[in-house]
């Protein structure tokens, strides 16, 4: 690690700047083991496209030992050129802590802290205690993962209790909040930003369509995490322009990719209610932009030809030069074993 626990907030303020997408593990064709060549390919592609870094996704069917190896391969390939985050969503809190400790040893830049699917806090104190306990057992910079999939509407109608975020912001190594609840609209963004603006932590709304507003009005400097690789280099390019104050140039790119943005929103609407990210769809969207692609393990939503056509056509309408490859090539991957 290039910072100490006590330096985490200041280090993140200086170094967490840019768009953070995701890298998913790649597997061999028989799904028995990790495909190291595919993982390294994706890290190189991520760097090439200009991303600040990536979340190393833990929700593609890897065992715990495989996830540690996934981190090891990705961090080794990055060689300090790229920031990689541990995905803190495992079956138990103990596994989250163990993954965070492994990330410290390997050189990860931080931890995106969620909670196990079976965790069912009945009070705000229980939720805060979970955050505090994990954060106390790692020196990694922690970004809080605030999403509707956590099923916390019983604690606050926005989808996540703001009071917990205010309390957690005072934890020494909590450096950011990834806020994606409070929909429809972004009144929740405004409220949470106002609550946290004097807490010395970063605010991130990962919905890139909001970024022209959140950068200008809330000073958002780090955006993540989501599958921005669907748009190739466009999101890190226009986000960087927004940070530099070059609004008009940024908006040229922003509107150019809008047909693909609309296609993405439309296809995601077909899986609403599953409380499950369509990782196969995300993997395919990355493959269209030169990522490895390939099979992932269950549990995963099935990917249909109609969904593949829809997101591919959105890119074509946005002016991307997308290779005329068969969907079957996606499952074979760019680095077949």
């Amino acid at each position: 690690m290039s910072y100490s626990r006590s330096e985490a907030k200041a280090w993140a303020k200086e170094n967490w700047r840019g768009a953070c997408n995701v890298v998913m593990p790649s597997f061999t064709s028989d799904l028995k083991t990790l495909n190291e060549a595919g993982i390294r390919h994706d890290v190189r592609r991520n760097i090439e496209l200009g991303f600040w870094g990536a979340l190393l996704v833990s929700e593609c069917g890897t065992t715990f030992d495989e996830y540690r190896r996934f981190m090891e391969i990705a961090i080794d390939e990055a060689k300090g050129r790229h920031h990689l985050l541990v995905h803190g969503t495992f079956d138990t809190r103990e596994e989250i802590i163990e993954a965070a400790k492994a990330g410290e040893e390997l050189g990860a830049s931080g931890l995106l802290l969620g909670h196990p699917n079976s965790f069912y806090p009945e009070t705000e104190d229980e939720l805060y205690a979970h955050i505090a306990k994990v954060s106390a057992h790692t020196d990694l910079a922690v970004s809080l993962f605030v999403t509707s999939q956590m099923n916390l509407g019983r604690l606050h109608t926005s989808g996540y209790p703001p009071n917990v975020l205010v309390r957690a912001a005072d934890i020494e190594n909590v450096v950011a909040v990834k806020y994606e609840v409070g929909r429809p609209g972004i009144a929740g963004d405004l409220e949470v930003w106002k609550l946290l603006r004097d807490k010395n932590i970063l605010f991130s709304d990962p919905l890139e369509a909001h970024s022209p507003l959140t950068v200008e009005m809330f000073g958002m400097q780090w955006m993540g995490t989501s599958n921005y690789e669907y748009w190739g280099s466009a999101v890190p390019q226009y986000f960087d322009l927004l940070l530099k104050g070059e609004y008009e140039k940024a908006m040229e790119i922003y509107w150019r990719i809008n047909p693909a943005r609309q296609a993405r929103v439309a296809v995601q609407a077909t899986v609403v209610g599953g409380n499950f990210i369509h990782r196969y769809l995300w993997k395919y969207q990355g493959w269209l932009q030169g990522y490895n692609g390939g099979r992932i393990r269950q549990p995963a939503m099935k990917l249909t030809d109609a969904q593949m056509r829809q997101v591919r056509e959105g890119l074509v309408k946005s002016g991307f030069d997308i290779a005329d490859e068969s969907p079957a090539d996606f499952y074979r991957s760019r680095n077949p074993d």
Side-chain angles (χ1 to χ4, degrees):
M1 290 173 54
S2 56
Y3 59 92
S4 67
R5 179 186 179 84
S6 63
E7 296 169 334
K9 280 183 166 64
W11 180 83
K13 184 70 173 178
E14 181 178 352
N15 292 280
W16 287 34
R17 189 176 182 85
C20 181
N21 68 329
V22 302
V23 167
M24 289 173 278
S26 290
F27 297 94
T28 54
S29 58
D30 61 5
L31 294 174
K32 297 294 185 183
T33 59
L34 294 174
N35 182 335
E36 181 172 339
I39 294 168
R40 291 183 181 277
H41 173 100
D42 283 351
V43 172
R44 290 194 300 271
R45 183 61 175 155
N46 226 50
I47 294 170
E48 180 183 3
L49 292 176
F51 286 101
W52 169 87
L55 174 70
L56 298 176
V57 177
S58 65
E59 298 172 340
C60 294
T62 49
T63 66
F64 187 86
D65 287 343
E66 285 174 332
Y67 184 77
R68 181 188 171 95
R69 178 59 181 153
F70 172 40
M71 288 195 292
E72 185 177 22
I73 294 168
I75 293 170
D76 178 71
E77 184 62 37
K79 291 181 172 58
R81 300 171 294 164
H82 212 44
H83 293 277
L84 297 170
L85 303 184
V86 180
H87 193 179
T89 55
F90 291 87
D91 289 332
T92 67
R93 182 184 299 149
E94 290 69 28
E95 285 186 330
I96 295 174
I97 292 171
E98 188 178 350
K101 288 184 177 299
E104 291 177 27
E105 296 169 10
L106 296 169
S109 291
L111 168 69
L112 180 67
L113 177 56
H115 60 63
N117 283 345
S118 58
F119 179 57
Y120 194 86
E122 297 181 79
T123 66
E124 292 187 5
D125 285 344
E126 288 181 56
L127 178 58
Y128 173 79
H130 166 74
I131 295 169
K133 184 168 184 178
V134 175
S135 299
H137 282 81
T138 180
D139 290 334
L140 284 177
V142 174
S143 174
L144 304 180
F145 188 11
V146 181
T147 174
S148 59
Q149 293 169 337
M150 293 182 177
N151 185 35
L152 295 171
R154 65 186 170 278
L155 301 181
H156 193 276
T157 57
S158 68
Y160 201 100
N163 289 339
V164 172
L165 298 176
V166 173
R167 292 175 66 190
D170 289 330
I171 296 172
E172 189 174 36
N173 57 330
V174 169
V175 305
V177 56
K178 175 190 175 184
Y179 188 83
E180 51 180 308
V181 297
R183 311 291 192 244
I186 58 172
D189 281 26
L190 175 62
E191 179 187 32
V192 169
W193 171 75
K194 291 177 74 172
L195 288 170
L196 300 179
R197 61 183 167 182
D198 297 324
K199 293 286 188 177
N200 196 27
I201 69 170
L202 303 177
F203 173 84
S204 171
D205 177 343
L207 188 61
E208 59 81 30
H210 292 168
S211 61
L213 185 151
T214 50
V215 170
E216 183 167 336
M217 302 302 294
F218 306 151
M220 186 176 76
Q221 67 178 55
W222 177 77
M223 182 172 67
T225 60
S226 193
N227 67 322
Y228 309 131
E229 64 273 13
Y230 172 49
W231 294 281
S233 62
V235 171
Q237 285 177 349
Y238 88 67
F239 189 73
D240 183 59
L241 288 168
L242 288 173
L243 294 180
K244 292 176 180 177
E246 299 183 35
Y247 180 83
E248 292 183 1
K249 290 182 180 179
M251 293 308 291
E252 288 178 8
I253 301 172
Y254 179 94
W255 289 121
R256 176 174 62 79
I257 66 173
N258 203 47
R261 182 180 294 120
Q262 291 170 330
R264 180 177 182 266
V265 169
V267 75
Q268 288 186 168
T270 65
V271 298
V272 168
N275 259 3
F276 200 56
I277 293 174
H278 199 330
R279 297 294 183 190
Y280 249 132
L281 177 63
W282 284 26
K283 192 82 165 168
Y284 177 75
Q285 288 173 319
W287 177 78
L288 289 170
Q289 294 285 4
Y291 286 75
N292 185 61
R295 299 174 173 88
I296 58 176
R297 292 181 186 149
Q298 295 191 71
M301 294 183 181
K302 289 181 171 58
L303 182 61
T304 68
D305 284 359
Q307 291 169 330
M308 288 188 277
R309 283 195 299 270
Q310 190 169 3
V311 294
R312 186 184 187 281
E313 289 169 3
L315 290 178
V316 172
K317 290 178 180 178
S318 295
F320 288 97
D321 184 16
I322 303 301
D324 186 17
E325 299 172 290
S326 165
D329 292 330
F330 159 69
Y331 290 101
R332 283 188 281 266
S333 87
R334 300 194 186 280
N335 293 273
D337 53 292

